[in-house]
Amino acid sequence: RRDFEKAARLEPRYDRTQSWFGAWLCGQGELAEGLRRLRLASTLNPLYEVTWYSRATAELKRGRFASAKSAMRRAIKINLETTWARGWTDVQDADPACARVLENLRELLARDPRWGEGQAWFGQTALLLRRHAEARPALEAARRAGALAPWPSIWLGLLERRLGRAAAAEALFSGAAAAAPGLAWPWAGRGASRLDAGRPLEALADLDRALTLDARAGRGLALLWRALARKAAGLEVGAHEDARAALAWYPHWAHWLTPLMRGVKRPFAEVSDAPDQPGEPAQYDAPAWVRRGRRRLLDGDAAGALEDLSRVLEECLDPSCVEALLLRSRAHAALSDAASAATDLARARAAGVSV
């Protein structure tokens, strides 16, 4: 307490100090003083969503349900990817506070069951706690209400994946991707669902897009899923690199990420996680040419993709690049050149890839 008080005296207009001090006071049962500091913090900086979460929790403790709902809405408007139950990692590691949050939301929904945002938060929190029977109806109610779209669809997709229903999950993620094409999570989820269904090359296209869209949203999981997709497609070097990158996000997964980093037989050019740079790639930067070829193929420019991938394979930047062969095969097929598509697939198989 003394440290908070000293910090508040030194920088009385620093919103983080007031926010954290207010949250700590509320946790100690000093709700009146805690709320005073939280209100000051939200005045100093109304765009810090953590302050609004803390205010919502404090208002719930005081029985002020309308004020709590208002604070929750303010938080979610600031950052749609920051959810009421914080720390979401594909519902793998639930925040210890989730059980308490779920009961708070249950109480709110008992007063107003038509509150769509509350249903969405309740469903997502129940999913974190693996209470599937409670999560599904709440998320379906939120979808019907159009609340927080497309997140209820994304969370339902995660639920379907967990239950082994890859087709249902893919449909939900596809709908979410159509509704919010600039959001990374639906593409990552659909890629994982396609991987579950045994279609690693289609999964790679979605996971590449997810990793291109947002460097923050679910990046560790997208890297993990892409490592698994590349491994399934026989692209061992890429699987190695993605697994190593995912390990930096989730070191506690080392026991089963490490096997993905073993058994690499020979190097070939890979699509890295680096964003596309403006202008032409450097002459001998094979990964950049492959990356641009893949992007062109995803955008429907099969002729442009063919040009970039042929540069890699036939101008000796990396004539054994398996990813370039697989992608160029798809480009040939899109241009109705079945013979050339078959030739590239045969070269990929000769390199040891199962396609």
Side-chain angles (χ1 to χ4, degrees), residues 22-42:
W24 183 84
L25 286 168
C26 290
Q28 301 301 307
E30 298 181 40
L31 294 177
E33 177 61 12
L35 271 169
R36 185 187 72 79
R37 290 190 181 274
L38 289 168
R39 293 190 189 104
L40 173 59
S42 57

Side-chain angles (χ1 to χ4, degrees), residues 49-175:
E49 70 269 25
V50 174
T51 297
W52 294 104
Y53 286 124
S54 299
R55 282 187 61 171
T57 301
E59 297 288 8
L60 282 169
K61 288 181 178 178
R62 300 191 79 176
R64 297 176 178 175
F65 299 100
S67 296
K69 286 167 61 175
S70 176
M72 288 182 190
R73 290 194 180 104
R74 289 293 297 268
I76 206 69
K77 284 179 181 178
I78 294 167
N79 184 356
L80 283 173
E81 290 187 7
T82 303
T83 54
W84 169 237
R86 296 175 62 81
W88 178 43
T89 57
D90 185 35
V91 297
Q92 296 289 336
D93 303 301
D95 188 302
C98 284
R100 185 171 64 253
V101 168
L102 192 71
E103 295 314 308
N104 289 338
L105 290 168
R106 194 191 307 278
E107 189 172 353
L108 282 168
L109 287 167
R111 293 168 177 261
D112 184 4
R114 292 179 297 177
W115 181 34
E117 293 165 334
Q119 293 284 5
W121 287 322
F122 183 92
Q124 187 256 356
T125 307
L127 191 60
L128 279 163
L129 293 167
R130 300 177 180 269
R131 299 183 186 179
H132 302 152
E134 290 185 282
R136 185 185 295 280
L139 292 172
E140 288 174 345
R143 283 187 77 208
R144 289 193 297 271
L148 303 185
W151 287 102
S153 294
I154 294 171
W155 295 328
L156 275 169
L158 289 168
L159 174 57
E160 296 292 6
R161 273 200 73 225
R162 174 176 285 180
L163 297 177
R165 298 168 183 163
E170 182 179 346
L172 286 160
F173 288 126
S174 293

Side-chain angles (χ1 to χ4, degrees), residues 14 37 44 87 91 168 263 353:
Y14 180 47
R37 290 190 181 274
L44 294 170
V91 297
V353 176

Side-chain angles (χ1 to χ4, degrees), residues 191 194-205 207-208 224-240 242 260 263 265-266 268-270 294 320-327 330 344-355:
R194 289 177 166 178
L195 176 61
D196 294 341
R199 290 143 52 203
L201 293 179
E202 292 179 60
L204 280 172
L207 294 165
D208 281 346
L224 166 66
W225 291 332
R226 194 171 71 174
L228 295 170
R230 282 177 161 172
K231 185 75 171 180
L235 307 175
E236 293 184 352
V237 170
H240 172 103
D242 282 344
L260 290 173
K265 296 175 182 177
R266 62 186 180 83
F268 48 80
E270 283 289 333
R294 170 168 282 167
S320 64
C321 177
V322 177
E323 283 207 59
L325 285 167
L326 292 171
L327 290 168
R330 292 170 62 188
D344 281 344
L345 276 178
R347 289 175 62 184
R349 288 193 184 101
V353 176
S354 299
V355 292

